[in-house]
Amino acid sequence: MSEEQQLRRSVTPWGSYSWGYADVGADIFVALGLVIGVAGGASNVAFLFAGLVYVCVGLAYTELAAAYPVAGGGQYFVMRGLGDFLGFIAGWAVLLDFTIDITLFAWGCVGYLSHLPVLGVLDASSHPILHFWIVLALIAGLAMLNIIGVRESTAFNGFVSAIDVFSEALILLLGFLFTFRPELLIHSMQTGWPNTFQLMNGISLAIISFVGLESISHAAEETSRPASIVPRTSIALILTILIFALAYSNLALGMQPWYPVPHDAAGHAQAFWQFLGTTQNQDKAVAVMASNIPYFGLLAAFYVPVFGATLLLISSNSGVFGSSRIAYSMSQFQLLPSVFKRVHRKFKTPVVSIVVFCVLAAIELIFAALQGDFGYEFLGDLYAFGAAASYTLVFIALIALRMTDPLTPRKFLIPFNIKMRFRGEEIYFPLVAVIGFIGIFAILVFVLLTHHIGRIAGPSWLLFGVIVYAVYRLRKKLPLFSSVKRDWNRDQVQILKNAGELELMDELVGKLKARDPDFTAKVT
Amino acid sequence: MRNSPAYGGFKALNGALFIVLGAAIVVRMFNTPAPLSYKIPGLILGAAMFALGVHRSLLILRARR
């Protein structure tokens, strides 16, 4: 760790917030239509359930990213808490999410653009072949940009996030002011309530509106004094995203649209939320909603599609960037072959990782395109599987780290803990992590029960990864199910020093010396 | 860390808007004739908006003192 090149810590509190927001804030643009299409009148309940689980996940990431401010995110936390093998599984599940992220958000970007009257030919339902080639071209373009090292700056992220928070708040404010009818919301829930299977499916899809918390860890590595700043910005981020997801789903069900709702394909009248959930509108639901707000809709019909497409493109780019970064981190810890660490001679970017994961994203696009009208849902299925699998392991890792690494100073602790002793040390057992684990595990079960493709493709992805891992570790004569020996205490001292958390570093060194008087911390 | 007056003003306005919007949603949901179970998601949304608005406003007030 000490001899590796360090990232410059120049991200401000707003930069840290906007980095996360640029990733997670775009999710509602994708998830809203998908969830309404499946859960119908119970979409708001699906978002509420997933949102409560997300709060627990967010708190877990906040605590872990503040205590261990390194870019590996879930993969690093799980490896540190549960060992190399499970760390690999978590990282591999996150990689699935990042590659899906590339395809899903590029698809959504084209979907939002197709809502513009002049770009209607980009619609996936009416022109699937053109849509496929445009999405593929976007993925190839993002791969090229990442290879030559062009990445949106934190300042650009901050600018887009500020406009996004303002725009989403404006849509909600005007939507609730002009179009929201509580009696219509109740009516939609009463008449459109789904069966249990559909509700479980909707809840599992709703979790995708909260995916992207890895960005909290990515930002933590580049934030100075992360132990103080990360909790502050993360909690604001968690609350904003949660409220937006709940608000959009309730507004969609209780909205009296400005324009008459067209009849469905069979010629029957349909409610507005049913119109939003059709395969034609799933990939541009927020734009359709915004354009149905009286007066504001005239402007929103042009502005929201362009803005949504920009946000989704940034999110797609974060998939390319994030996958290469996670693969790089996994390679550093000997979980993946060192080829993933190889950087381009001229551009100094992880070219192998970028190419491999963009090719995987393109393969996923081909599979999605083969699903016809259900391609978008197919991508959502896989996205939900990857998120649920990695978050499940993160909760177990959080509990394990509280027990096995009680000395690392934690400036932020998830609330509601039970004080107890474990192996002679005083620890705080996190009740919220247990609740979160039950919630996210339930969502993982929902994914496996209700997603016909996710239940096969998701575990197949993990199985493929385990084979890659086993071949690599056996060839390198490294342990397969146990871990490579590492000195986590010294690493942690170095991490805190790099983060500028010198008081916390001194506190940790003091505790380590009290436990072992021979301990010497050699930091660079 | 101190915020600029413009940013503080923006956050204060934001907080006030969330309070008004949250309260309005809660009141309207309560007044809608329907079983309570159907009102819960709307009530939670309104309460969450209201709480976020209060939280932001308190932060601004604390920073100004």
Side-chain angles (χ1 to χ4, degrees), chain A residues 13-14 44-45 48 166 173 176 180-183 185-186 189-190 193 229 232 239-240 243-244 246-247 250, chain B residues 1 3 7 10 17-18 21 25 28-29 32 34-35 37-42 44-45 48-49 52 55-56:
Chain A
W14 169 250
N44 52 355
V45 176
L48 181 60
F166 177 74
L173 179 72
F176 276 106
F180 183 66
R181 305 279 177 274
E183 56 282 2
L185 168 65
I186 304 290
M189 290 177 73
Q190 286 174 328
W193 194 264
I229 290 176
R232 210 178 106 186
L239 282 175
T240 314
I243 285 178
F244 279 172
L246 294 180
N250 278 294
Chain B
M1 240 143 316
N3 294 319
Y7 182 61
F10 171 73
L17 274 178
F18 269 117
L21 194 57
I25 291 172
R28 291 185 71 189
M29 288 308 301
T32 307
S37 56
Y38 287 105
K39 296 182 190 176
I40 287 174
I44 290 178
L45 168 67
M49 279 185 169
L52 181 66
H55 174 69
R56 281 193 176 172

Side-chain angles (χ1 to χ4, degrees), chain A residues 175 178-181 184 188 251-262 270-276 288-295 297:
Chain A
F178 292 129
T179 69
F180 183 66
R181 305 279 177 274
L184 189 56
S188 300
L251 180 60
L253 292 179
M255 185 168 172
Q256 180 71 55
W258 199 18
Y259 302 109
V261 180
Q270 58 184 342
F272 183 64
W273 59 267
Q274 288 171 317
F275 176 62
L276 278 183
V288 177
M289 257 179 89
S291 58
N292 270 285
I293 296 171
Y295 310 109

Side-chain angles (χ1 to χ4, degrees), chain A residues 112 115-117 259 287 290-292 296-306:
Chain A
Y112 271 86
H115 191 59
L116 287 170
Y259 302 109
S291 58
N292 270 285
F296 174 67
L298 291 171
L299 173 69
F302 294 94
Y303 154 68
V304 176
V306 174

